[in-house]
Amino acid sequence: MNLPSKLPRDLNIKELNFNNITSYLEVKNLQNELSRRVITKDDYIDNVELVCGVDVSYRKKTAFCSAVVINKENFEITETAISKSKIKNPYIPGLFILRESAPILQTLKLITKPFQLLLVDGHGVLHPRRCGLACYVGIDTNIPTIGVAKSLLCGGVQSDNFVTHKSEILGYALKFNENSKKVAYISVGHKISLLTSIELVKSITKINQYIPEPLRIADKLSKELDYK
């Protein structure tokens, strides 16, 4: 897969290497700026056939990343890619892009065939600065992207399962049944609407599961890599 060029040059970012950013404040400012670039409506999202899920797991000082592409209609795996790299940044809530963007983008470059939709294990606009990991990856790859996170970073879940923050609807809480405590928090990453995101995630989530299939497999694969 040929990925587009990096983030817009007018953002004055030469490389996707946050070691070049000297303070977390600068990263937060970057998120605020990028949030204005996020497209929250459907953009070339018709006829989705292939969906890629990407996830990262950790052991000691190594990040293990896997990307899995499946056929939306029959859940058949069409391609996988894996990579491992050194962890360069600590885990900081709200600044997940520091830790996971590099291994994710590195792994996506190993995918050889185009896909129409990308799922990222992390938040999209359901973020205090409206720019989580899924937004950053979506903007960088220019691919319609959905954030699917396992924990809530901000906001509250309403009775209709939509998630609001500061009176703005930003996401949706997906459960496989109403009594389940396991929740997938869906939000827009880039170039897709929230309603379409919910519909597509539901369509590729198996019965009695709450994580969409490409992400579930990517998560499993990355953890298996952890012990090889």
Side-chain angles (χ1 to χ4, degrees), residues 41-53 68-76 78 114-119 143-146 190-193 195-205 212 214:
K41 62 182 181 180
D42 297 328
D43 189 349
Y44 302 106
I45 200 63
D46 293 334
N47 300 318
V48 173
E49 179 183 357
L50 298 177
V51 183
C52 179
V68 175
V69 182
I70 70 164
N71 185 297
K72 176 178 174 290
E73 299 306 318
N74 57 22
F75 289 8
E76 177 185 352
T78 62
F115 53 85
Q116 293 80 46
L117 180 66
L118 176 62
L119 304 184
I143 295 171
T145 303
I146 302 172
H190 188 50
K191 299 182 75 171
I192 192 169
S193 68
L195 292 180
T196 301
S197 297
I198 297 167
E199 177 185 349
L200 285 170
V201 169
K202 285 183 175 180
S203 73
I204 53 175
T205 303

Side-chain angles (χ1 to χ4, degrees), residues 98-203:
L98 282 169
R99 190 172 174 90
E100 293 209 351
S101 60
I104 285 176
L105 293 170
Q106 173 184 327
T107 307
L108 289 176
K109 289 178 180 178
L110 302 176
I111 298 292
T112 61
K113 296 179 181 178
F115 53 85
Q116 293 80 46
L117 180 66
L118 176 62
L119 304 184
V120 175
D121 181 18
H123 287 291
V125 298
L126 184 52
H127 185 281
R129 288 172 292 283
R130 307 299 188 260
C131 183
L133 176 66
C135 296
Y136 185 84
V137 173
I139 291 172
D140 186 85
T141 60
N142 199 36
I143 295 171
T145 303
I146 302 172
V148 183
K150 300 182 186 74
S151 60
L152 195 59
L153 183 61
C154 65
V157 180
Q158 309 305 302
S159 59
D160 57 4
N161 289 333
F162 282 93
V163 184
T164 62
H165 180 243
K166 295 184 177 179
S167 301
E168 185 178 2
I169 297 175
L170 297 177
Y172 184 85
L174 177 65
K175 305 176 183 179
F176 70 81
N177 65 54
E178 287 302 316
N179 297 320
S180 175
K181 293 182 180 179
K182 294 182 178 180
V183 182
Y185 297 98
I186 303 167
S187 63
V188 171
H190 188 50
K191 299 182 75 171
I192 192 169
S193 68
L194 178 58
L195 292 180
T196 301
S197 297
I198 297 167
E199 177 185 349
L200 285 170
V201 169
K202 285 183 175 180
S203 73

Side-chain angles (χ1 to χ4, degrees), residues 48-63:
V48 173
E49 179 183 357
L50 298 177
V51 183
C52 179
V54 62
D55 195 9
V56 185
S57 64
Y58 302 93
R59 187 180 182 189
K60 296 182 179 179
K61 295 182 179 181
T62 303

